[in-house]
Amino acid sequence: MSKSSRIPGFYKLSADERLDKVKEFADLTSEEIEIIKSMSGIELENATKMIENSIGGISVPIGIATNFIINQNEYLIPLATEEPSVIAACSNAAGLGRKKGGFTAKSMGNVMRTQIQLIKVKDLESAKNNIEKNKSELLELAQEKTPTLSSMGGGAKDLQLKELDTKRGKMLIVEIYIDCKDAMGANACNTVAESLASKIEQMSDAESLLKIVSNLATERIVEAHATFDKESLGGEQVVERILDASEFAHNDSYRAVTSNKGIMNGITSLAIATGQDIRAIESAAHAYASISGRYIPLTTWEKDTAGDLIGKIKIPMPVGIIGGASSVHPTSKICLKILNVNKASQLAEIITSVGLAQNLAAIRALVNEGIQEGHMKLHARNIAISAGASGELIEKVSEIMIKEKNVKFLRAKELIKKLEK
């Protein structure tokens, strides 16, 4: 029997029952289940190998988003987040997308660029000519510095020059394009830049300064789209309101930032779970949103001839499944196993699809009941717990606060005291 990510009532199960479902879906071992249940997955001794001066760790809950079909494959999505409602909303949006076949995503490649900054260039034209003349030699040298990538068909693929006119004078930027295959690739890019710098200095009669990867991964774009049935969304009026909300974001940067933050709720949560460089992903996403000179949303929404809603997303996605925390942290390795990914491009397509799902969930909530109604149901539980509620009191206190529309710490304290009597 084929596996399905549609698990009705998954949220009603106990944590152990949910783990049993995930164990069966992803063929996890009992040892892997225990690592996830430990809420950290890494011992202090191993943490010292990841970062300097380590003294411990902080745990972020991992939940499972259900209902996902991406490129005709079923996925349970592990999301690491501290924010209530993200996972529930993401699962709901994925469920809405199932009726029309789920999400279709495509990675445009795994190329990153690394930059060498040349300053004090005596003769720009001569420098450019000399570097261009020796381009093949430089690319061969770059290939030698990335033997693993080169053996996989990756490594240095091109070299381009860029002239900058700055208040510090003219600068020449050498950009080397590197196919990073299944690695995120920052270390390989930095190694290439540092290795080539001295030879390029000689060729250009200039001084090299910065030698580092660029995180604006415009050669590592992923596109995803999905169609959502108008009736499942709530009817034609809901579709129209989503389109109006989308136009708001496309014409106002203040709204666009919040729209993109909602997208990143899903993307960052999955990136954390799988051990990715979330700073690189987030900086690339927000820079790409501004690449036209104006900050805009990463998603677009339209309707087809049947009146159904079509969502599209286009975003840089520099991720890897070899090297970095994804290869070291036990929990990250298990999350990758749950996803059953074997290529970085596949992971990028999954993460991007999750971002689109999260965006739909947020916009749909905003144009209907507002973002707070669903969010507050979970937030009320957290407030009740922080005020000292336990067991059955958690639900009782949170239900009363929601009914009163008064989700406050002091009110929770009052209710606990009253109900305990």
Side-chain angles (χ1 to χ4, degrees):
M1 190 171 111
S2 60
K3 296 177 180 179
S4 174
S5 62
R6 186 178 181 276
I7 308 175
F10 187 75
Y11 70 98
K12 295 179 182 178
L13 303 177
S14 68
D16 284 334
E17 289 171 331
R18 288 194 289 268
L19 275 169
D20 286 340
K21 294 284 187 183
V22 176
K23 181 181 181 182
E24 180 183 0
F25 184 91
D27 297 322
L28 299 183
T29 66
S30 297
E31 182 182 7
E32 287 168 333
I33 290 296
E34 289 305 313
I35 288 173
I36 293 178
K37 289 174 69 174
S38 73
M39 293 293 289
S40 65
I42 188 166
E43 300 295 330
L44 182 57
E45 181 182 348
N46 290 327
T48 62
K49 299 172 185 176
M50 293 180 69
I51 63 167
E52 61 281 0
N53 300 345
S54 58
I55 59 168
I58 182 169
S59 179
V60 178
I62 294 177
I64 294 290
T66 58
N67 296 323
F68 271 89
I69 298 175
I70 303 169
N71 292 337
Q72 300 182 336
N73 294 313
E74 298 272 357
Y75 290 99
L76 292 179
I77 308 291
L79 299 176
T81 181
E82 83 300 338
E83 185 170 337
S85 78
V86 167
I87 295 170
C90 202
S91 299
N92 183 261
L96 292 171
R98 289 182 73 90
K99 188 171 182 179
K100 296 290 184 176
F103 299 82
T104 300
K106 184 178 181 181
S107 169
M108 303 303 172
N110 295 309
V111 173
M112 300 286 283
R113 71 174 75 183
T114 191
Q115 298 179 304
I116 301 170
Q117 176 195 17
L118 297 177
I119 59 173
K120 300 177 182 177
V121 187
K122 295 176 181 177
D123 186 333
L124 271 167
E125 289 306 314
S126 175
K128 288 192 286 187
N129 289 336
N130 285 339
I131 293 170
E132 285 284 0
K133 187 169 62 177
N134 292 280
K135 181 176 176 177
S136 296
E137 179 190 346
L138 290 169
L139 289 176
E140 284 179 18
L141 179 59
Q143 286 292 78
E144 292 173 8
K145 298 300 177 181
T146 56
T148 303
L149 286 179
S150 300
S151 67
M152 298 166 60
K157 298 300 179 184
D158 197 10
L159 181 152
Q160 298 290 334
L161 300 176
K162 181 165 64 179
E163 186 179 328
L164 302 180
D165 193 359
T166 80
K167 66 180 181 181
R168 296 282 297 172
K170 290 189 180 292
M171 299 176 184
L172 185 60
I173 311 301
V174 181
E175 297 186 326
I176 301 150
Y177 294 77
I178 299 173
D179 187 344
C180 298
K181 292 298 182 183
D182 291 322
M184 186 272 178
N187 289 334
C189 287
N190 293 339
T191 296
V192 166
E194 290 174 1
S195 299
L196 266 59
S198 60
K199 186 169 279 293
I200 289 175
E201 277 186 335
Q202 294 169 15
M203 292 176 182
S204 61
D205 194 16
E207 179 184 331
S208 65
L209 190 56
L210 300 191
K211 302 167 274 286
I212 191 165
V213 66
S214 168
N215 287 121
L216 181 50
T218 51
E219 288 72 42
R220 215 165 183 172
I221 298 293
V222 180
E223 295 180 352
H225 67 269
T227 301
F228 302 91
D229 175 67
K230 65 180 178 183
E231 299 305 327
S232 299
L233 286 169
E236 184 178 346
Q237 184 183 23
V238 173
V239 172
E240 293 296 329
R241 296 178 79 174
I242 288 173
L243 296 178
D244 286 337
S246 177
E247 280 302 300
F248 177 15
H250 276 274
N251 288 276
D252 183 83
S253 295
Y254 287 87
R255 168 61 200 145
V257 168
T258 309
S259 179
N260 287 341
K261 186 269 181 185
I263 293 169
M264 301 312 290
N265 276 344
I267 286 175
T268 303
S269 297
L270 182 47
I272 293 172
T274 55
Q276 305 304 311
D277 185 343
I278 58 171
R279 285 80 50 191
I281 292 171
E282 291 188 339
S283 61
H286 293 296
Y288 191 70
S290 307
I291 204 164
S292 66
R294 185 171 61 87
Y295 190 96
I296 61 173
L298 293 161
T299 55
T300 57
W301 296 92
E302 57 191 45
K303 64 178 179 179
D304 61 17
T305 54
D308 295 326
L309 186 69
I310 301 173
K312 299 177 182 179
I313 184 171
K314 187 175 181 181
I315 187 173
M317 194 52 62
V319 298
I321 61 170
I322 59 174
S326 62
S327 297
V328 177
H329 200 293
T331 304
S332 294
K333 291 195 283 187
I334 294 169
C335 287
L336 287 171
K337 183 176 179 179
I338 293 171
L339 292 170
N340 192 29
V341 294
N342 51 39
K343 289 183 177 296
S345 57
Q346 182 188 4
L347 177 61
E349 290 163 357
I350 295 169
I351 294 177
T352 301
S353 298
V354 169
L356 181 59
Q358 197 67 44
N359 189 232
L360 173 70
I363 297 176
R364 183 169 178 255
L366 282 166
V367 303
N368 284 329
E369 71 271 12
I371 206 72
Q372 285 297 80
E373 184 172 317
H375 186 79
M376 277 300 166
K377 289 177 183 177
L378 293 166
H379 181 58
R381 295 183 82 257
N382 289 342
I383 293 293
I385 293 168
S386 66
S390 60
E392 294 181 358
L393 268 182
I394 296 171
E395 296 301 330
K396 289 179 180 178
V397 170
S398 61
E399 284 175 9
I400 293 171
M401 289 193 296
I402 290 167
K403 189 175 181 180
E404 296 176 343
K405 295 185 178 180
N406 184 20
V407 183
K408 299 286 192 331
F409 181 81
L410 291 178
R411 181 54 179 154
K413 287 289 243 185
E414 292 172 358
L415 289 170
I416 292 168
K417 189 174 181 180
K418 179 180 177 181
L419 291 169
E420 282 180 337
K421 288 182 179 179

